[in-house]
Every structure is written in structure tokens, then in C-alpha cells.
Amino acid sequence: MCGIVGYVGHRKVVPILLEGLKRLEYRGYDSAGLVYVSGDKLAKHRARGKLINLEEMLDEVRDSASHIGLGHTRWATHGPPTEANAHPHSDCTGRLVVVHNGIIENYHVLREKLKANGHVFTSETDTEVLAHLIEEHLKDDLVTAVRQALKKVEGSYAIGVLWAGQPDTLVAARNQSPLVLGVQEGGSLLASDIPALLPYTNQVVFLEDQELAVLKEGSWQVLRLSNGKPVKKEVQTIDWNASMAEKAGFKHFMLKEIFEQPQAILSTFRGRLDPETGKVELPEIGLGLAELKNIKRISLVACGTSWHAALVAKYWLEKWVGIPVEVDIASEFRYRRLLLDETVMVIPISQSGETADTLAGLRLAKKMGARVISICNVVGSTITRESHGTIYTHAGPEIGVASTKAFTCQLTAFYLLTLYLGQIHGTIKPKERKAMVKALVELPAIMEEELPRLQQESAAIAAAFADSRDFLYLGRGSCFPIALEGALKLKEISYIHAEGYAAGELKHGPIALIDRDMPVLALAPKDGVYEKVVSNVEEVKARNGRIIMVGSKGDRTIQRMAEHFILLPKIHEELNPILYVLPLQFLSYEIASLRGCDVDQPRNLAKSVTVE
Ligand code: M6R
């Protein structure tokens, strides 16, 4: 939700800001803007729509000698995506600018007061109040003015501020929205997320809530917002590199990320299991045996695709560990009565580690004494910093807004957790555990081999259904959440209305929808509920429905029943969700491409949802 980038140092700033914005565009693409110091003034450029529109405006200033500036890419909250509402926003003099990610909750009251004091507003955004509020307090020191202004602000913010009166200084501050500094010799950067920093440095400093950073060419310092006292910060090294966040010849990030899944899954389990003995280690949980055995319930909290991973995990954990598991959508969890204590392990799941609702759920759980172990992809993100422990998914940077490799890596992490807890509780026999470990170890090679064929077959099916208005996805057992995930993928990138259903639920209502215009995709691996799914599909067929099936190689029934089918190799039944989601990812990708949709940046969405 909005991306911020800033730089001060010895290099020319405009190319750095543009490169940073390109790498943050997945956070919002309603408008883009940047500002830099030019002589004794600030030069500000803004354009509605995607970054490309801003880039086209900048041809003549790209080579500006300026070496300090800020950039912003917007996901609109207050005010439509117009140029006037694009960041940076200025004060009345035009000599002070602010870029912001978050929501200023009391902006209305502040705006009215500032207007009464004579300030003139030029946008409908909540952000603009920050520029005028800092202006109100500004005498000769920007840091003091920012601190005083922020005392009056309620809500979430990550901000960058630049003032022509102190043209060698960038000021940044954070409260409930992510902000990370990139530090290197001769210059410092600030950004909403790590990919923007990677071309320049892998040395980063994460800001915490209520902290303020002062960046100059040769120095950086972090202060506490409340009292202005310095805070000692740790510089961390990130093991991602710039090329990991590039398309590497693929047409879209999403396609690249689908093909990266075998490697990402391998990286997620590597070093955590021993194929010889079937032993699994997860030291990052940070709980002793006695504490782990004392866990009476597991509570999984997440949004979107990460919630689907949690739904699969419920099947695994309850079956193999025998502990009750509840799964909540984070925005519901945070507003219902929670029954948590130290015997409950709460697991927030998040690719970005910054999702506002998931983070709020985590904080509530901690307050109530629960043990919080997150599953997360971004090292150092807020969710990881606030959890008692984190099982990292090693998916590498995921840039496509539609989550693919992060999802299969979350499933891998849950599979490892299931094996680990089963090992501790003695609920999975060593022989079975060894077989499950072996199956996971063999999975990346199987996926690697199957992916090109799956893309081809999905593309052929996509051609037949690209004009559909609706789609139904059916699954049972641990493939029911995969049906939900397939439907989410399709709707978010192709804008086709799609629903995921538990196949057994069909006759309780949705079967009324079946006709030739409602394609039904059913997941039918040869597992314990296979026969049930087949019966449900027969019911669709009897009503003249158009059927696509995903099932096991050699399954003649599927080939007879379905108008289109994709067959997958037989693997350990528990791993089916990881394999069966692949054709659904491809199908949505291919349909969206045929419809000319913007696969990596679907309309209205942002990858990292840092507001409620
Ligand atoms: O970063 P998170 O995993 O917390 O994000 C959660 C959802 O916003 C995310 O999974 C979203 O649903 C994706 N766009 C799905 O492809």
C-alpha cells in the first residue's frame, strides 16, 4: 500500500528514485511522483497512473545533478487517483514536501484547524495535512518540526520529509507502516520495502514504531520520536540480491515466480530435515520440549492466499499431530472475542510480514499470553520482529501481486511444522515420517519436470474459457483450500467472477448456478475423498455443466467425465495441495494474458496491505 523511496548521497538522485519506485510499484500504481532539491528550490513531478507516465515526463531532468530526493507510488485511500492527489504533497510555500504510506485517522479535524489558520489545501488526501502541520511548527530545524507535528497525529504512517531550508537532510518517521533504511558508504536510502534497496546495498536498518531517522550524505541516525533521544540500531545483512527481484527474461513476474517454485520449496526445507533419518528440525520455534507438549491448541491467522495456506495446514496438523486447530481471517480474528492463553500457539502467516490485520491479530495474541510463531517470507519485517519466533519461507522476493511461490513455500513450512510436532508428540510413526520427508525431498524435481507441460495444457484450456464470466472451483479435504486459491487467483488477475466451494457443499445451493456458461473446475486427486468428488462432478455433468478436472495420471474416469483435464503424477497424498495448485496458477495466468489484463499489477490491488 504505497511505496516510499528516498536517497541522499554522492550519486545523482533521479535514476535512483525511479529504480526504487519501479521495484516498489507492486505496492500501488494509482499515481507516482518524486521530488529533489534543485538549486535553492524543490523540483516536484507527479503523474496519475502507472510509473511509466511519470518516467515519460522526466526525460529532461533524469540527468539532474541533484543528490537528494524522495519518491512515491500510490495506492489511493483518501481521494481518487488524480495528479492533484499524487504524492509528494507540499506545504503552502512549496518549500516543504511529504511522502506518506498509511492513514492519518484524525486528518479531518487537523485539516479544519489548519484551514482556519490560513493553510490552503490543494488535494483531497489525508497526507497533505502532514505537510501543513509540519509547516506550522517549522522554525529553523526540520527534525524538531516533524517531531512536534507527529505528536498531534493519530493513525499509521511511514513518511519521508524534505525541506528546501535544510537541503542536505532527509527526515523519515514510522508508526505502524513499514520503513527500512539502506546504509552504504557515501549515501543512505529509505524505502517501504527491501527490493528498492537491493541495487545499492544489502545493509539495512529496520525502523520501529515511533522512531525517526535523519539521513545525510555521510551519516544516518535514528531518534525516538517522543523525546528526540538517539536509538542504537542494528545494521542487518539481507541475503537477497537485486537480480532476484527482476524478471530474468520472463514476460511477467508471476510467470517467473511460478517457475521458481521448485527452487523456492527446496530452499525452504533445505537444512531443516534429514532424509536419512526422517528427522525434522525447527530451532527457530524457540520452545523447549516441555513447552511444546503443553500446547493445547493452535490458532492460525492470515489474509488472502496466506489464509488458504492456513486452511490446508489445519487438515495436516489435526490429522498428524492431533491438536485442535482453528483458522481465522485476520480482519475477523482481531474483532472477535478471543479465547487465548499460554497454552495456545498462534501462527500468523504472511508473505510480506506487514499485513495490517495480521499484525494486529499477532499483537492481540501476544497481549493475551499466547506463544506467537509466525510463518513469513520477508526477513526483518514487522511481523517477524514482533513474533516470539519465525519459520521463514525462503521463497525470495515475490513481486507479482498474485501470490504463487510464497503460497507453496508457506505450505512447505506448514508441512515441516506438522512433521516436527508429530515427531515431538510421537503422533507420526518414524517410518511414516521418513516416507513423508522423502516425498517432500523428491517434490522439487517432480515439479521442475511437470511445469512446462502444465503451462502448455493450461494454455489450451485457457483459450477455451477466456471469455467466461464466471467460474466454479471444487475440491474436498486439503484440496478444498486449493479450490479457494484457484478461484482467488482467477478473479484477482483476470477479473472473472470465480468461487471456490467444498465439493460436498454444491448441492446446498451453488448447483443452481450450473449451466453451459458456468465452467466447473474440480480437483480430484486419488485420495481418501476421490470417490466423493467424482460423485459431485457427476451431479454437475447431469445438469449439462462444462467440466474441467485436475486429477491423477492414469485416471480413466476423469478422462471420460471431463471436457478438459490435466493429469498430475501420483505423489504422497499429503503433498497434493502443493502440486494441484500449479495448474490453477497457470490457468489464471494464461486466461488473464489472453484477456489482455495486467497480470503483475491487477487493478485496485496492492501487494502489501498495510492499512486496515
Ligand atoms: O503478505 P501477506 O501474505 O500477509 O498478504 C496477504 C494477502 O494480501 C495476499 O495473500 C493476497 O491475497 C494476494 N494478492 C493473493 O494472491
PDB file of all heavy atoms in Angstrom, residues 303-306 349-353 355 358 401-403 410 485 488-489 492 607 609, ligand 1:
ATOM      1  N   CYS A 303      -4.450 -13.516   5.942  1.00  0.00           N
ATOM      2  CA  CYS A 303      -5.355 -12.929   4.946  1.00  0.00           C
ATOM      3  C   CYS A 303      -5.075 -13.537   3.572  1.00  0.00           C
ATOM      4  O   CYS A 303      -3.941 -13.941   3.293  1.00  0.00           O
ATOM      5  CB  CYS A 303      -5.105 -11.430   4.809  1.00  0.00           C
ATOM      6  SG  CYS A 303      -5.303 -10.515   6.323  1.00  0.00           S
ATOM      7  N   GLY A 304      -6.074 -13.536   2.731  1.00  0.00           N
ATOM      8  CA  GLY A 304      -5.912 -13.891   1.318  1.00  0.00           C
ATOM      9  C   GLY A 304      -5.298 -15.265   1.116  1.00  0.00           C
ATOM     10  O   GLY A 304      -5.691 -16.264   1.734  1.00  0.00           O
ATOM     11  N   THR A 305      -4.326 -15.311   0.240  1.00  0.00           N
ATOM     12  CA  THR A 305      -3.660 -16.570  -0.081  1.00  0.00           C
ATOM     13  C   THR A 305      -3.017 -17.203   1.156  1.00  0.00           C
ATOM     14  O   THR A 305      -3.024 -18.430   1.315  1.00  0.00           O
ATOM     15  CB  THR A 305      -2.607 -16.296  -1.184  1.00  0.00           C
ATOM     16  OG1 THR A 305      -3.316 -16.069  -2.404  1.00  0.00           O
ATOM     17  CG2 THR A 305      -1.657 -17.435  -1.370  1.00  0.00           C
ATOM     18  N   SER A 306      -2.477 -16.388   2.033  1.00  0.00           N
ATOM     19  CA  SER A 306      -1.850 -16.934   3.246  1.00  0.00           C
ATOM     20  C   SER A 306      -2.902 -17.629   4.118  1.00  0.00           C
ATOM     21  O   SER A 306      -2.605 -18.611   4.808  1.00  0.00           O
ATOM     22  CB  SER A 306      -1.176 -15.809   4.043  1.00  0.00           C
ATOM     23  OG  SER A 306      -0.178 -15.218   3.252  1.00  0.00           O
ATOM     24  N   ILE A 349       0.438 -15.920   9.466  1.00  0.00           N
ATOM     25  CA  ILE A 349       1.107 -16.314   8.211  1.00  0.00           C
ATOM     26  C   ILE A 349       1.055 -15.118   7.289  1.00  0.00           C
ATOM     27  O   ILE A 349      -0.015 -14.570   7.036  1.00  0.00           O
ATOM     28  CB  ILE A 349       0.389 -17.513   7.541  1.00  0.00           C
ATOM     29  CG1 ILE A 349       0.248 -18.659   8.538  1.00  0.00           C
ATOM     30  CG2 ILE A 349       1.122 -18.006   6.308  1.00  0.00           C
ATOM     31  CD1 ILE A 349      -1.141 -18.821   9.061  1.00  0.00           C
ATOM     32  N   SER A 350       2.224 -14.738   6.750  1.00  0.00           N
ATOM     33  CA  SER A 350       2.239 -13.563   5.880  1.00  0.00           C
ATOM     34  C   SER A 350       3.466 -13.589   4.976  1.00  0.00           C
ATOM     35  O   SER A 350       4.578 -13.774   5.460  1.00  0.00           O
ATOM     36  CB  SER A 350       2.256 -12.296   6.740  1.00  0.00           C
ATOM     37  OG  SER A 350       2.374 -11.163   5.936  1.00  0.00           O
ATOM     38  N   GLN A 351       3.243 -13.404   3.700  1.00  0.00           N
ATOM     39  CA  GLN A 351       4.381 -13.280   2.789  1.00  0.00           C
ATOM     40  C   GLN A 351       5.173 -12.033   3.154  1.00  0.00           C
ATOM     41  O   GLN A 351       6.359 -12.098   3.392  1.00  0.00           O
ATOM     42  CB  GLN A 351       3.869 -13.188   1.349  1.00  0.00           C
ATOM     43  CG  GLN A 351       4.934 -13.194   0.267  1.00  0.00           C
ATOM     44  CD  GLN A 351       5.714 -11.908   0.096  1.00  0.00           C
ATOM     45  OE1 GLN A 351       6.962 -11.938   0.069  1.00  0.00           O
ATOM     46  NE2 GLN A 351       5.041 -10.788   0.014  1.00  0.00           N
ATOM     47  N   SER A 352       4.482 -10.892   3.181  1.00  0.00           N
ATOM     48  CA  SER A 352       5.164  -9.605   3.346  1.00  0.00           C
ATOM     49  C   SER A 352       5.627  -9.351   4.765  1.00  0.00           C
ATOM     50  O   SER A 352       6.590  -8.623   4.992  1.00  0.00           O
ATOM     51  CB  SER A 352       4.214  -8.478   2.951  1.00  0.00           C
ATOM     52  OG  SER A 352       3.073  -8.500   3.809  1.00  0.00           O
ATOM     53  N   GLY A 353       4.903  -9.902   5.719  1.00  0.00           N
ATOM     54  CA  GLY A 353       5.210  -9.607   7.117  1.00  0.00           C
ATOM     55  C   GLY A 353       4.742  -8.229   7.550  1.00  0.00           C
ATOM     56  O   GLY A 353       5.125  -7.732   8.613  1.00  0.00           O
ATOM     57  N   THR A 355       1.227  -7.121   6.709  1.00  0.00           N
ATOM     58  CA  THR A 355      -0.223  -7.001   6.544  1.00  0.00           C
ATOM     59  C   THR A 355      -0.860  -6.499   7.850  1.00  0.00           C
ATOM     60  O   THR A 355      -0.698  -7.117   8.909  1.00  0.00           O
ATOM     61  CB  THR A 355      -0.800  -8.363   6.112  1.00  0.00           C
ATOM     62  OG1 THR A 355      -0.171  -8.703   4.888  1.00  0.00           O
ATOM     63  CG2 THR A 355      -2.296  -8.315   5.921  1.00  0.00           C
ATOM     64  N   THR A 358      -3.170  -8.863   9.997  1.00  0.00           N
ATOM     65  CA  THR A 358      -2.428 -10.000  10.560  1.00  0.00           C
ATOM     66  C   THR A 358      -1.556  -9.521  11.721  1.00  0.00           C
ATOM     67  O   THR A 358      -1.466 -10.170  12.783  1.00  0.00           O
ATOM     68  CB  THR A 358      -1.574 -10.670   9.459  1.00  0.00           C
ATOM     69  OG1 THR A 358      -2.414 -10.920   8.337  1.00  0.00           O
ATOM     70  CG2 THR A 358      -0.959 -11.969   9.930  1.00  0.00           C
ATOM     71  N   VAL A 401       1.734  -9.347  -7.888  1.00  0.00           N
ATOM     72  CA  VAL A 401       0.728  -9.122  -6.838  1.00  0.00           C
ATOM     73  C   VAL A 401       0.030 -10.437  -6.478  1.00  0.00           C
ATOM     74  O   VAL A 401      -0.299 -10.693  -5.323  1.00  0.00           O
ATOM     75  CB  VAL A 401      -0.277  -8.028  -7.290  1.00  0.00           C
ATOM     76  CG1 VAL A 401      -1.522  -8.023  -6.425  1.00  0.00           C
ATOM     77  CG2 VAL A 401       0.401  -6.664  -7.218  1.00  0.00           C
ATOM     78  N   ALA A 402      -0.167 -11.295  -7.486  1.00  0.00           N
ATOM     79  CA  ALA A 402      -0.788 -12.591  -7.198  1.00  0.00           C
ATOM     80  C   ALA A 402       0.266 -13.520  -6.594  1.00  0.00           C
ATOM     81  O   ALA A 402       1.293 -13.809  -7.199  1.00  0.00           O
ATOM     82  CB  ALA A 402      -1.326 -13.195  -8.487  1.00  0.00           C
ATOM     83  N   SER A 403      -0.014 -13.962  -5.409  1.00  0.00           N
ATOM     84  CA  SER A 403       0.971 -14.786  -4.687  1.00  0.00           C
ATOM     85  C   SER A 403       1.001 -16.199  -5.274  1.00  0.00           C
ATOM     86  O   SER A 403      -0.034 -16.829  -5.470  1.00  0.00           O
ATOM     87  CB  SER A 403       0.564 -14.827  -3.217  1.00  0.00           C
ATOM     88  OG  SER A 403       1.524 -15.527  -2.490  1.00  0.00           O
ATOM     89  N   GLN A 410       4.780 -21.457   1.909  1.00  0.00           N
ATOM     90  CA  GLN A 410       4.046 -21.485   3.195  1.00  0.00           C
ATOM     91  C   GLN A 410       3.563 -22.907   3.474  1.00  0.00           C
ATOM     92  O   GLN A 410       3.642 -23.404   4.603  1.00  0.00           O
ATOM     93  CB  GLN A 410       2.848 -20.534   3.147  1.00  0.00           C
ATOM     94  CG  GLN A 410       3.248 -19.064   3.197  1.00  0.00           C
ATOM     95  CD  GLN A 410       2.105 -18.126   2.817  1.00  0.00           C
ATOM     96  OE1 GLN A 410       1.086 -18.541   2.257  1.00  0.00           O
ATOM     97  NE2 GLN A 410       2.269 -16.845   3.112  1.00  0.00           N
ATOM     98  N   GLU A 485      -8.106 -21.088  -3.502  1.00  0.00           N
ATOM     99  CA  GLU A 485      -6.940 -20.374  -4.018  1.00  0.00           C
ATOM    100  C   GLU A 485      -7.022 -20.224  -5.542  1.00  0.00           C
ATOM    101  O   GLU A 485      -6.701 -19.156  -6.084  1.00  0.00           O
ATOM    102  CB  GLU A 485      -5.668 -21.128  -3.591  1.00  0.00           C
ATOM    103  CG  GLU A 485      -4.347 -20.603  -4.145  1.00  0.00           C
ATOM    104  CD  GLU A 485      -4.012 -19.175  -3.750  1.00  0.00           C
ATOM    105  OE1 GLU A 485      -4.719 -18.566  -2.925  1.00  0.00           O
ATOM    106  OE2 GLU A 485      -3.036 -18.637  -4.316  1.00  0.00           O
ATOM    107  N   LEU A 488      -9.425 -17.464  -6.243  1.00  0.00           N
ATOM    108  CA  LEU A 488      -8.852 -16.144  -5.922  1.00  0.00           C
ATOM    109  C   LEU A 488      -7.873 -15.707  -7.011  1.00  0.00           C
ATOM    110  O   LEU A 488      -7.898 -14.551  -7.460  1.00  0.00           O
ATOM    111  CB  LEU A 488      -8.150 -16.186  -4.550  1.00  0.00           C
ATOM    112  CG  LEU A 488      -7.421 -14.911  -4.130  1.00  0.00           C
ATOM    113  CD1 LEU A 488      -8.375 -13.729  -4.014  1.00  0.00           C
ATOM    114  CD2 LEU A 488      -6.672 -15.101  -2.812  1.00  0.00           C
ATOM    115  N   LYS A 489      -7.013 -16.647  -7.431  1.00  0.00           N
ATOM    116  CA  LYS A 489      -6.039 -16.303  -8.486  1.00  0.00           C
ATOM    117  C   LYS A 489      -6.761 -15.798  -9.731  1.00  0.00           C
ATOM    118  O   LYS A 489      -6.376 -14.808 -10.314  1.00  0.00           O
ATOM    119  CB  LYS A 489      -5.189 -17.510  -8.876  1.00  0.00           C
ATOM    120  CG  LYS A 489      -4.118 -17.962  -7.937  1.00  0.00           C
ATOM    121  CD  LYS A 489      -2.898 -17.073  -7.818  1.00  0.00           C
ATOM    122  CE  LYS A 489      -3.118 -16.028  -6.761  1.00  0.00           C
ATOM    123  NZ  LYS A 489      -2.757 -16.344  -5.403  1.00  0.00           N
ATOM    124  N   GLU A 492      -8.495 -12.295  -9.160  1.00  0.00           N
ATOM    125  CA  GLU A 492      -7.655 -11.120  -8.948  1.00  0.00           C
ATOM    126  C   GLU A 492      -6.884 -10.693 -10.189  1.00  0.00           C
ATOM    127  O   GLU A 492      -6.622  -9.512 -10.367  1.00  0.00           O
ATOM    128  CB  GLU A 492      -6.726 -11.263  -7.733  1.00  0.00           C
ATOM    129  CG  GLU A 492      -5.571 -12.194  -7.855  1.00  0.00           C
ATOM    130  CD  GLU A 492      -4.722 -12.238  -6.588  1.00  0.00           C
ATOM    131  OE1 GLU A 492      -4.556 -11.208  -5.933  1.00  0.00           O
ATOM    132  OE2 GLU A 492      -4.205 -13.320  -6.269  1.00  0.00           O
ATOM    133  N   LYS A 607       0.209  -5.187  -3.380  1.00  0.00           N
ATOM    134  CA  LYS A 607       0.723  -6.458  -2.850  1.00  0.00           C
ATOM    135  C   LYS A 607       0.743  -6.480  -1.329  1.00  0.00           C
ATOM    136  O   LYS A 607       0.446  -7.481  -0.708  1.00  0.00           O
ATOM    137  CB  LYS A 607       2.129  -6.718  -3.384  1.00  0.00           C
ATOM    138  CG  LYS A 607       2.702  -8.030  -2.876  1.00  0.00           C
ATOM    139  CD  LYS A 607       3.424  -8.773  -3.940  1.00  0.00           C
ATOM    140  CE  LYS A 607       3.808 -10.163  -3.491  1.00  0.00           C
ATOM    141  NZ  LYS A 607       2.757 -11.149  -3.756  1.00  0.00           N
ATOM    142  N   VAL A 609      -0.654  -5.103   2.046  1.00  0.00           N
ATOM    143  CA  VAL A 609      -1.832  -4.363   2.518  1.00  0.00           C
ATOM    144  C   VAL A 609      -1.560  -3.857   3.941  1.00  0.00           C
ATOM    145  O   VAL A 609      -1.876  -4.514   4.927  1.00  0.00           O
ATOM    146  CB  VAL A 609      -3.092  -5.240   2.446  1.00  0.00           C
ATOM    147  CG1 VAL A 609      -4.325  -4.460   2.846  1.00  0.00           C
ATOM    148  CG2 VAL A 609      -3.274  -5.766   1.026  1.00  0.00           C
TER     149      VAL A 609
HETATM  150  O1  M6R B   1       1.707 -10.513   2.657  1.00  0.00           O
HETATM  151  P1  M6R B   1       0.547 -11.363   3.109  1.00  0.00           P
HETATM  152  O2  M6R B   1       0.791 -12.816   2.877  1.00  0.00           O
HETATM  153  O3  M6R B   1       0.144 -11.081   4.513  1.00  0.00           O
HETATM  154  O4  M6R B   1      -0.642 -10.917   2.171  1.00  0.00           O
HETATM  155  C1  M6R B   1      -1.928 -11.449   2.345  1.00  0.00           C
HETATM  156  C2  M6R B   1      -2.819 -11.162   1.154  1.00  0.00           C
HETATM  157  O5  M6R B   1      -2.942  -9.789   0.946  1.00  0.00           O
HETATM  158  C3  M6R B   1      -2.281 -11.802  -0.141  1.00  0.00           C
HETATM  159  O6  M6R B   1      -2.095 -13.175   0.001  1.00  0.00           O
HETATM  160  C4  M6R B   1      -3.258 -11.548  -1.307  1.00  0.00           C
HETATM  161  O7  M6R B   1      -4.442 -12.235  -1.102  1.00  0.00           O
HETATM  162  C5  M6R B   1      -2.622 -11.937  -2.638  1.00  0.00           C
HETATM  163  N1  M6R B   1      -2.818 -10.899  -3.592  1.00  0.00           N
HETATM  164  C6  M6R B   1      -3.194 -13.180  -3.227  1.00  0.00           C
HETATM  165  O8  M6R B   1      -2.614 -13.512  -4.444  1.00  0.00           O
END
